[in-house]
Amino acid sequence: MSQEVPETATPHVHHANHPLKAAVVLGALGVVYGDIGTSPIYTLQTIFNPADPHPVPISDGNILGVVSTIFWSVMIIVTLTYITLVMRVNNDGEGGIMALITLLRRWGSSNRRRGAVILAALGIFGASLFFGDSMITPAISVLSAIEGLETVRPGFESWVVPITAVIIVVLFSFQRHGTATVGRFFGPIMVTWFTVLGVAGIGGIVHEPRILEALSPTFAIGFLAGNFHIAFFALAAIVLAVTGAEAIYADMGHFGRRAIVIGWLGLVLPASTLNYLGQGALLLGDNSKLSSPFFLLVPDWARLPLVILATAATVIAAQAVITGAYSVASQAGQLGYLPRLRIAHTSESTIGQIYVPWINWLLMIAVLVLVFAFRSSAALAYAYGMAVVGTITITTLLFLYFARVRWHSPKWLVIGGGGLLLAIDLLFVSANLTKLVHGAWLPLLIGVIAFTVMTTWQRGRQIVTAERDKAEGSLREFVDELQTQKPPLTRVPGTAIFLNRGKQTAPLALRANVEHNHVRHDHVIILSIETLPVPRLADDQRIMIDDLGYAGDGITHVAARYGYMETPDVPHLLRMLKAEQTEGAISVEEASYFLSKIELARGDSHTMAPWRKRLFIATSYITADAAEYFSLPRDRTVIMGSRIDV
């Protein structure tokens, strides 16, 4: 049962309060920074990979220039764009590109309506690219960690792919148990990981302190300006250093901005910077170690423990992005861009820990295909960069629009400062486009497919909604007819709950019950579930009651409002109702539930292209069972069917 989202609704909502405690910062370190924190494993070796179609020659000048460019890219894209600017925008505490889309829909004024719609569509494409990121991250992260075994025992190359595949299967198989039981271990593991990153980096810097010169932006500028024919292509790999920037923003609702900022500035940024500098120092001292500078940065005795720790860190990074894919799919479904999917909440105490089976197994198959097809982290890096930089660029663009429209930031500042940030992002996009035939086409293809599915579903819903409106007719007129019907309709004992899309039309199941069975129940609750473009609502803001013009006839309309981060629980909702609100007490434990199920068929009308009609109908088959989604008791749920031509 799909719901239209009112774009102008601005209810009073309960804002999440995130007290700044050490445990909150520790939790943020364990979840938020898994992706970006494992980037040092593969970034530098990818940049200097001799098999690259546009290799960067290994030289002292290029090493200093590359490390400097990595550092300042992280500072501009992550610290300035995300930490300082973008994270100031939130939707009731929630961040991420889906939050920006809902804010655009809410605040897009009439004279800017067209621009807001276009940017919202662009945002949906950014969310679509995130699905590509969710497929590539587990593959490249775990592959890069297991590849470290080659530095421990040469000749281990043939085992890298099989071991990676086993880890991937185990990881996805345990998703249904949730991360609640192991979540408390993530923080300490990642603190250990970042500590090791920093210590290893310091060891390299001590041997070649000249690498500290790379902290000066002059080396990055000199590398880009003086060797642009080399540096431009290197940007396609340098962008790997900022992978996970979108996850920082998307997970803001779980930990709060302050905890994430403290974790970034207090540990993640310094540790990552030290490690990149250490790897650069290692290459300055010995150019032959470019095959795996991350693992070769530590002594022989420490490499196996580092491989084990890196594997744990990459699994955590994969876990974070998989959970992010669940959240994006769930939010997209609530906002009408995807069908309603079966969702299981895996934690009673932690909001947002969910499991979406259909997305889980789709991701697992896709990740395994990527592992066996690309077989190395270096080969996957070309595909990875495009997914990352595409989402970053779209997020920056949406933020700038919001800053201008909502905050009324000066036009000169938005165009000048924002234009500079966008220019940097677009430079990275351009560099990744040069890798199109080498793998960058993959996330674009995934993004286009996901975007097509989501926009087709949204359009199909609009068509089906219009057809349902015609078939259902006016609810007010239907209730009026019941009052004047002669002879009066037979009333049977009990309570009937009819789930409906809103208050304007009569439920098909109720109309069929009256027209074919010629009866109605003593108590009739017409319940509509409304999803608002906010993450959550407090219970005291959730319910609105309407007697539909006749007090005492036993027919009541109940509108229940939920945020897009919530999953409705109808029995729980009904227990909140008082007898005086429903024209008499209702028995939730004995009530019968009626659902209207729509069978879709391809019609002759020119509402959509034939292929999009087939896609819409095919997509409808993955829709979750409504009774399960709304937590309805199976033994008291009646489903009545109807057919609509698309």
Side-chain angles (χ1 to χ4, degrees):
M1 189 179 72
S2 54
Q3 302 296 325
E4 294 298 324
V5 181
E7 298 175 0
T8 57
T10 56
H12 174 73
V13 294
H14 174 69
H15 291 259
N17 182 29
H18 297 282
L20 189 58
K21 298 179 181 179
V24 179
V25 177
L26 187 65
L29 288 170
V31 175
V32 176
Y33 296 112
D35 195 357
I36 199 168
T38 53
S39 296
I41 299 176
Y42 46 79
T43 299
L44 215 60
Q45 76 177 49
T46 301
I47 295 171
F48 289 109
N49 181 12
D52 191 296
H54 305 98
V56 177
I58 188 77
S59 68
D60 288 4
N62 284 345
I63 292 170
L64 289 168
V66 163
V67 173
S68 182
T69 306
I70 289 174
F71 173 72
W72 285 103
S73 297
V74 171
M75 290 299 293
I76 293 171
I77 293 176
V78 183
T79 307
L80 177 59
T81 301
Y82 275 90
I83 297 291
T84 306
L85 298 175
V86 176
M87 286 182 62
R88 295 183 183 276
V89 180
N90 69 85
N91 186 16
D92 190 37
E94 293 293 335
I97 198 165
M98 292 301 295
L100 281 174
I101 293 169
T102 55
L103 288 172
L104 282 173
R105 291 173 58 169
R106 187 191 305 173
W107 300 116
S109 58
S110 56
N111 61 328
R112 295 188 176 96
R113 181 68 179 166
R114 184 177 180 84
V117 169
I118 293 173
L119 286 175
L122 190 61
I124 292 299
F125 184 69
S128 302
L129 285 175
F130 185 78
F131 284 116
D133 188 5
S134 303
M135 297 173 186
I136 299 172
T137 295
I140 191 174
S141 298
V142 180
L143 267 174
S144 64
I146 302 303
E147 284 169 349
L149 289 172
E150 297 175 31
T151 66
V152 178
R153 192 171 188 178
F156 213 85
E157 182 179 354
S158 61
W159 288 93
V160 169
V161 171
I163 292 175
T164 299
V166 170
I167 292 174
I168 293 297
V169 171
V170 172
L171 174 64
F172 280 96
S173 297
F174 274 88
Q175 290 301 310
R176 66 181 184 275
H177 300 295
T179 58
T181 55
V182 296
R184 62 180 177 273
F185 298 113
F186 284 6
I189 290 174
M190 293 310 292
V191 169
T192 304
W193 169 253
F194 287 118
T195 302
V196 170
L197 286 188
V199 171
I202 291 172
I205 295 170
V206 168
H207 288 93
E208 285 287 345
R210 182 162 56 105
I211 192 63
L212 293 174
E213 297 177 9
L215 294 175
S216 170
T218 56
F219 282 89
I221 296 171
F223 177 64
L224 292 169
N227 305 277
F228 190 74
H229 62 291
I230 295 173
F232 175 72
F233 296 108
L235 290 176
I238 289 173
V239 75
L240 298 176
V242 298
T243 58
E246 178 64 23
I248 295 174
Y249 185 35
D251 285 320
M252 183 172 68
H254 300 307
F255 303 100
R257 181 174 180 268
R258 289 186 300 164
I260 291 176
V261 169
I262 288 175
W264 173 254
L265 297 178
L267 181 60
V268 180
L269 177 61
S272 300
T273 300
L274 286 171
N275 196 265
Y276 283 123
L277 289 170
Q279 291 186 54
L282 178 71
L283 294 180
L284 283 177
D286 186 353
N287 293 169
S288 66
K289 294 186 176 181
L290 58 84
S291 62
S292 189
F294 176 80
F295 291 102
L296 294 175
L297 189 58
V298 300
D300 292 347
W301 61 266
R303 285 176 193 162
L304 183 57
L306 182 59
V307 170
I308 296 172
L309 180 61
T311 302
T314 54
V315 167
I316 292 172
Q319 175 66 62
V321 79
I322 292 167
T323 303
Y326 297 158
S327 296
V328 170
S330 173
Q331 294 174 37
Q334 292 282 40
L335 293 173
Y337 293 107
L338 282 178
R340 180 183 61 246
L341 299 173
R342 185 167 76 85
I343 296 172
H345 289 265
T346 58
S347 172
E348 296 181 1
S349 59
T350 305
I351 296 172
Q353 286 192 8
I354 60 175
Y355 169 64
V356 186
W358 199 89
I359 296 295
N360 183 73
W361 302 121
L362 176 66
L363 286 181
M364 188 189 79
I365 293 171
V367 171
L368 289 174
V369 168
L370 291 177
V371 168
F372 285 105
F374 286 85
R375 305 188 70 82
S376 74
S377 60
L380 263 173
Y382 306 138
Y384 198 22
M386 180 56 74
V388 171
V389 76
T391 305
I392 289 173
T393 304
I394 292 172
T395 298
T396 303
L397 185 61
L398 297 185
F399 164 76
L400 293 175
Y401 180 87
F402 183 87
R404 176 60 183 161
V405 172
R406 184 60 183 159
W407 292 347
H408 306 293
S409 299
K411 185 178 291 186
W412 64 267
L413 181 61
V414 173
I415 294 176
L420 181 60
L421 294 178
L422 271 180
I424 293 172
D425 291 345
L426 290 173
L427 188 61
F428 279 108
V429 171
S430 301
N432 276 274
L433 286 175
T434 65
K435 308 294 186 182
L436 208 57
V437 298
H438 304 288
W441 57 269
L442 179 62
L444 290 179
L445 176 62
I446 295 171
V448 168
I449 292 173
F451 179 79
T452 303
V453 170
M454 288 198 283
T455 54
T456 298
W457 182 258
Q458 183 192 36
R459 174 58 183 151
R461 283 179 64 252
Q462 294 173 347
I463 296 169
V464 170
T465 298
E467 292 300 317
R468 285 191 67 166
D469 287 346
K470 295 177 185 177
E472 292 171 342
S474 168
L475 176 59
R476 291 280 184 176
E477 293 178 4
F478 180 72
V479 173
D480 290 341
E481 291 172 4
L482 292 181
Q483 303 303 315
T484 59
Q485 185 169 336
K486 300 296 183 182
L489 200 64
T490 301
R491 294 174 65 159
V492 296
T495 299
I497 313 297
F498 292 88
L499 271 71
N500 199 36
R501 297 172 302 119
K503 193 168 63 174
Q504 303 305 315
T505 60
L508 286 174
L510 175 58
R511 185 178 288 278
N513 202 33
V514 169
E515 293 177 355
H516 298 289
N517 298 327
H518 308 293
V519 296
R520 51 152 290 197
H521 289 73
D522 276 335
H523 281 96
V524 174
I525 303 294
I526 300 171
L527 176 63
S528 61
I529 307 295
E530 187 178 21
T531 301
L532 300 181
V534 294
R536 286 172 290 275
L537 280 86
D539 281 346
D540 60 359
Q541 300 290 325
R542 193 171 304 286
I543 297 174
M544 293 184 294
I545 309 294
D546 189 346
D547 63 10
L548 300 175
Y550 297 93
D553 66 344
I555 302 177
T556 307
H557 181 273
V558 177
R561 305 189 300 176
Y562 287 87
Y564 61 83
M565 295 288 287
E566 299 177 293
T567 300
D569 184 337
V570 170
H572 171 74
L573 176 78
L574 295 176
R575 292 186 184 95
M576 298 169 56
L577 299 174
K578 299 179 175 62
E580 57 269 22
Q581 293 177 306
T582 56
E583 302 177 10
I586 61 174
S587 175
V588 178
E589 283 69 28
E590 297 178 0
S592 299
Y593 298 86
F594 292 83
L595 296 174
S596 304
K597 183 176 182 179
I598 303 298
E599 178 187 346
L600 301 175
R602 192 155 52 97
D604 297 327
S605 58
H606 301 289
T607 51
M608 285 193 295
W611 68 268
R612 293 191 75 186
K613 290 183 180 181
R614 287 191 289 267
L615 176 61
F616 175 69
I617 294 172
T619 306
S620 70
Y621 292 134
I622 68 172
T623 303
D625 179 77
E628 181 179 0
Y629 183 82
F630 293 112
S631 303
L632 305 183
R634 290 277 185 181
D635 58 338
R636 289 183 282 118
T637 299
V638 179
I639 299 176
M640 306 183 75
S642 182
R643 174 185 167 121
I644 288 181
D645 290 334
V646 180

